[in-house]
Amino acid sequence: MEGWTQTLGAGPLLLIAAGAIALILVLVIVFKLHAFLTLILVSLLTAFVTGIPAGEIVPALVTSFGGTLGNVALLIALGAMLGKLIEHSGGARVLSERMVSIFGEKRAPLGLGIASLAFGFPIFFDAGLIVMLPIIFAVARRLGNNVLLYGIPAATAFSVMHVFVPPHPGPVAASELYGADVGLVLIVAIVLAFPVWYLSGYLWGTFVGKRFILPVPALFGSTDDDEQVNPPSVATVVGILLLPLVLIFLNTGLDFLGTAGVVDESETWVQLLSAIGTAPVALLIAVLVALLVLGHRRGENGTALEKIVDSALGPVASVILITGAGGMFGGILRLSGIGDALADVLGDTGVPVILAVWLIAVVLRVAQGSATVALVTAAGLMAPAVAAGGFSDMQIVAITLATAAGSVFASHVNDSGFWLVGRLMGMDVKTTLKTWTVQQTLQSVVGFLFALAVFAIF
């Protein structure tokens, strides 16, 4: 923010952040105040207490809220429409039955997780989760109506791929800052992705799925009394689900090739294909194709289809607003300088570089919420130390992955993803803390231990 410098030290800022988080938990859990109102109120109070100029507070709140909605609202709304069309046509049911027949009932969470790992290679965390939710919900309904048993492994798979594996933006940016070979980072990250997911996602998901029996929420995966009796084929449903993934992969692939200098990103054809492959446009195209293939060609008229897609928006409105408010709170924390102050203090402690990058990323993640911001900021802070350390190529790769691991630590109330996962899966705040926050912490620790092993061996 121009003309304003934070004068508070790391100690007071840390106390303010801790107090703000505690206030959110008390208001939501004890006083049952709606999360949307709570996040707005605490964001406003935090902005005042941290000394942000009064005239800039409301614009900062609106900017942070709008910035998060710009990334999330279109994805959730279009994903909900796509999911409702697939569910209404009977496509979710036939695909869930095929998956269960392939993997078996006991291994259905494993199958969903593996499919999500594959889908998560080209697609961002939130978009991938939205696309997969109709299938997750359909499988959960068919096999006992326990959403966490099937949802946590799948959500973790998307998180693992998004945090560790290029061409996702965080690991690509960190690789550039550290001077790591992006191709080598990609290879090592893919090798590590499965064991990290299996330990922190699949095993943890099966554990919490037995402890917290939550029914499938009434979103686009709810049972539809008007479901068609002539459902589409499995190939048709898979094709529609793959369409946005292929388009998004086209975008991320072109970004990767542009960074490597293989294609010229200023060329019109590159920019056009990249635009088509952005997540909102890709999902819009998929919704239009689903309307045609699952609707018009199967006998639905325009009015009926309009009612179907419109019915998908009401249940997700609360999810969109709460996610935006969570982004608002995280944005105020970033603007206040809390994360930067803590990282500067930690950077002077003299701990080993691979531990320092993880700890700094952890501090930034816990302080301000965004995994990508934590990863890129930590890499920027520690890049000079890494460059001066005389590390091998594989050790720099390990440092990159250790930073990525730290950036996912302990998702909580200042992370928009915390609200996204919790609300989409029908969890209250307390349950989300016990399940998703712990999962993200396990993912961070397990990922760091694997990175540390690579660092020590090579």
Side-chain angles (χ1 to χ4, degrees):
M1 185 180 297
E2 294 185 9
W4 178 72
T5 303
Q6 179 59 264
T7 58
L8 296 175
L13 288 173
L14 177 60
L15 290 175
I16 291 170
I21 293 168
L23 180 58
I24 289 174
L25 296 178
V26 170
L27 290 176
V28 172
I29 296 174
V30 178
F31 292 99
K32 309 298 182 183
L33 185 64
H34 194 280
F36 180 63
L37 297 174
T38 297
L39 288 165
I40 296 175
L41 174 62
V42 176
S43 297
L44 182 64
L45 293 175
T46 303
F48 276 116
V49 175
T50 54
I52 294 175
E56 301 294 333
I57 289 177
V58 173
L61 293 172
V62 173
T63 299
S64 298
F65 182 73
T68 302
L69 285 186
N71 293 323
V72 172
L74 286 174
L75 297 181
I76 295 178
L78 291 169
M81 289 180 175
L82 180 61
K84 184 62 178 179
L85 287 167
I86 292 173
E87 181 271 329
H88 174 80
S89 70
R93 175 173 54 81
V94 297
L95 185 54
S96 66
E97 290 173 352
R98 178 61 60 86
M99 291 191 68
V100 171
S101 68
I102 293 174
F103 290 97
E105 293 187 3
K106 292 184 178 180
R107 292 190 295 274
L110 180 68
L112 284 170
I114 292 174
S116 298
L117 284 172
F119 285 171
F121 180 75
I123 194 170
F124 286 7
F125 167 77
D126 43 11
L129 182 60
I130 288 291
V131 171
M132 278 296 292
L133 272 181
I135 312 306
I136 296 168
F137 286 175
V139 172
R141 280 200 311 270
R142 187 178 186 277
L143 299 179
N145 202 31
N146 181 7
V147 68
L148 292 188
L149 180 62
Y150 306 94
I152 292 296
T156 301
F158 287 111
S159 176
V160 167
M161 299 301 286
H162 185 75
V163 169
F164 291 105
V165 181
H168 291 280
V172 169
S175 298
E176 292 177 355
L177 289 167
Y178 285 140
D181 185 324
V182 176
L184 199 56
V185 172
L186 174 63
I187 294 171
V188 177
I190 288 177
V191 171
L192 297 185
F194 183 82
V196 171
W197 165 78
Y198 186 84
L199 293 172
S200 68
Y202 173 67
L203 293 182
W204 175 249
T206 55
F207 173 74
V208 298
K210 295 175 181 177
R211 294 194 61 189
F212 300 93
I213 310 299
L214 298 181
V216 176
L219 295 173
F220 43 82
S222 59
T223 301
D224 192 340
D225 295 333
D226 297 326
E227 188 177 278
Q228 295 184 6
V229 295
N230 57 333
S233 67
V234 171
T236 299
V237 178
V238 171
I240 291 173
L241 289 175
L242 287 178
L243 176 58
L245 302 179
V246 171
L247 293 175
I248 291 170
F249 181 73
L250 179 68
N251 172 278
T252 52
L254 286 172
D255 285 345
F256 186 75
L257 294 174
T259 302
V262 177
V263 299
D264 184 358
E265 292 181 296
S266 65
E267 291 286 340
T268 302
W269 70 271
V270 175
Q271 295 179 3
L272 178 61
L273 292 178
S274 295
I276 292 174
T278 56
V281 177
L283 281 172
L284 174 62
I285 293 172
V287 170
L288 295 176
V289 171
L291 282 169
L292 178 64
V293 175
L294 302 180
H296 289 295
R297 289 191 176 179
R298 304 184 67 81
E300 297 276 9
N301 59 42
T303 302
L305 288 175
E306 190 273 336
K307 291 181 179 179
I308 292 169
V309 295
D310 183 68
S311 69
L313 297 179
V316 299
S318 177
V319 175
I320 293 172
L321 291 174
I322 291 172
T323 302
M328 175 196 296
F329 180 53
I332 291 299
L333 291 180
R334 287 192 291 275
L335 186 61
S336 70
I338 289 173
D340 293 339
L342 294 175
D344 289 341
V345 172
L346 187 59
D348 297 331
T349 58
V351 299
V353 169
I354 190 159
L355 178 58
V357 298
W358 182 76
L359 289 174
I360 290 173
V362 165
V363 168
L364 289 166
R365 162 68 160 180
V366 173
Q368 53 77 42
S370 169
T372 300
V373 170
L375 174 53
V376 175
T377 305
L381 289 171
M382 293 300 295
V386 173
F391 300 109
S392 67
D393 290 344
M394 282 296 290
Q395 287 178 322
I396 295 177
V397 168
I399 289 170
T400 303
L401 296 177
T403 313
S407 73
V408 79
F409 188 93
S411 168
H412 63 95
V413 293
N414 63 357
D415 175 24
S416 60
F418 172 89
W419 299 100
L420 182 69
V421 172
R423 296 294 158 161
L424 286 177
M425 295 191 187
M427 292 186 282
D428 58 21
V429 171
K430 187 183 297 185
T431 305
T432 311
L433 288 169
K434 291 179 179 179
T435 57
W436 184 245
T437 301
V438 175
Q439 185 286 314
Q440 294 279 271
T441 304
L442 290 173
Q443 182 177 321
S444 176
V445 173
V446 172
F448 172 71
L449 292 176
F450 276 113
L452 184 62
V454 172
F455 185 87
I457 293 172
F458 296 96

